[in-house]
Amino acid sequence: MAGIVRRPIVVGALLAAAGFVAMGGLSAQGAAAQGAQPIDTQNPQNVSAALQILLMVTVLSLAPAILVMVTSFTRIIVVLSLLRTAIGIPQLPPNQVLIGLGLFLTVFVMAPAIKQINDEAIQPYMNGTLTQQEAYSRGEEPLREFMFKQTREQDLGLFLKLAGAEKPENRDEVPTYVLVPAFTISELKTAFQMGFVLFIPFLIIDLVVSSALLSMGMMMLPPVVVSLPFKILLFVLVDGWYLIVGSLVGSFA
């Protein structure tokens, strides 16, 4: 799982670096063609613009990690991975299918927050009615509201204690750098709770098959080989994907 998440970050960083180098090359060619003077690095405005570009490239390279940490993707992908392990076929569905389903479910769950960010932050900023800082503040609010709804007070209190911060009077006083890790561990706990429930019916099938094989004296036959078809049959008969996706999406309501 770490490899799956880390790979897009590396690719994004390489693409961003390539684009930055390409832009730098085009700028240098344009300056040479027009006989322009080199950029004065002593000018604070030029330095500020360079830092903004560097910050933008950094944010783009970290976009996959941000997606994982502040949206519903963590809970969804962990539950789907535990389901695959519970059935007993770690290779199916493939990682590409699992990640794709997780991303589309994440977009579905986060659609109201995405629409609010677009209406209240992105579009006004593009129209010039908001400054960059105001757009960032407005765009941050829907994500913070979503994370607060899914974060346990115990986890939030843990990171407030670790940060040495005073008890906040309201949600607005909770820093985002405290909210994000608290939200993440809350999501992990919820995902493992759902995964435990998923394991129970498949575990019962394994126990029944193992007892039957032992009573018939077939100790050399692995129980997993016999129980796997029954697990798949059970999952199909109860319309497992319908139940899993419905429960996942409903858990964010």
Side-chain angles (χ1 to χ4, degrees):
M1 188 60 204
I4 296 174
V5 175
R6 196 178 300 117
R7 199 176 302 122
I9 298 177
V10 175
V11 173
L14 291 176
L15 291 177
F20 185 76
V21 172
M23 287 190 297
L26 292 176
S27 300
Q29 292 177 3
Q34 298 176 5
Q37 297 296 327
I39 297 176
D40 184 12
T41 57
Q42 301 299 323
N43 190 339
Q45 294 181 353
N46 294 334
V47 176
S48 177
L51 289 177
Q52 290 181 1
I53 294 174
L54 180 61
L55 179 62
M56 184 179 300
V57 171
T58 303
V59 170
L60 289 176
S61 65
L62 295 176
I66 297 174
L67 170 66
V68 171
M69 298 298 291
V70 300
T71 64
S72 58
F73 183 78
T74 300
R75 183 189 304 184
I76 292 172
I77 198 63
V78 170
V79 171
L80 293 179
S81 299
L82 289 175
L83 171 65
R84 187 170 63 175
T85 304
I87 295 177
I89 40 178
Q91 296 81 18
L92 293 175
N95 287 333
Q96 292 84 349
V97 175
L98 217 61
I99 295 296
L101 178 61
L103 287 174
F104 277 103
L105 289 178
T106 300
V107 172
F108 182 83
V109 172
M110 301 300 297
I114 294 173
K115 184 179 183 301
Q116 185 177 352
I117 292 172
N118 181 66
D119 294 341
E120 298 182 2
I122 297 178
Q123 293 302 324
Y125 176 71
M126 297 295 292
N127 296 332
T129 57
L130 287 180
T131 64
Q132 184 177 3
Q133 183 61 35
E134 291 173 340
Y136 173 79
S137 299
R138 289 193 181 184
E140 187 183 28
E141 284 305 315
L143 290 178
R144 284 174 56 90
E145 182 179 356
F146 172 80
M147 288 189 287
F148 271 119
K149 289 181 180 180
Q150 309 301 328
T151 303
R152 300 183 306 161
E153 292 185 3
Q154 180 181 358
D155 297 329
L156 191 59
L158 169 65
F159 283 95
L160 285 172
K161 179 180 179 181
L162 294 175
E166 298 181 357
K167 183 178 180 180
E169 297 294 334
N170 50 58
R171 290 182 173 183
D172 294 336
E173 295 182 3
V174 177
T176 302
Y177 72 89
V178 171
L179 176 60
V180 171
F183 166 75
T184 302
I185 64 173
S186 295
E187 288 292 278
L188 288 175
K189 179 177 180 178
T190 304
F192 274 81
Q193 288 174 339
M194 298 179 69
F196 172 76
V197 176
L198 288 175
F199 265 88
I200 293 177
F202 300 113
L203 178 60
I204 293 175
I205 293 177
D206 283 333
L207 292 176
V208 171
V209 171
S210 299
S211 300
L213 292 177
L214 186 61
S215 63
M216 291 186 294
M218 303 175 65
M219 293 178 291
M220 300 302 295
L221 180 63
V224 177
V225 176
V226 181
S227 64
L228 181 57
F230 290 100
K231 291 180 181 179
I232 296 176
L233 178 62
L234 172 66
F235 192 72
V236 172
L237 289 178
V238 300
D239 201 357
W241 290 112
Y242 175 87
L243 295 176
I244 295 299
V245 172
S247 300
L248 271 174
V249 175
S251 67
F252 293 99

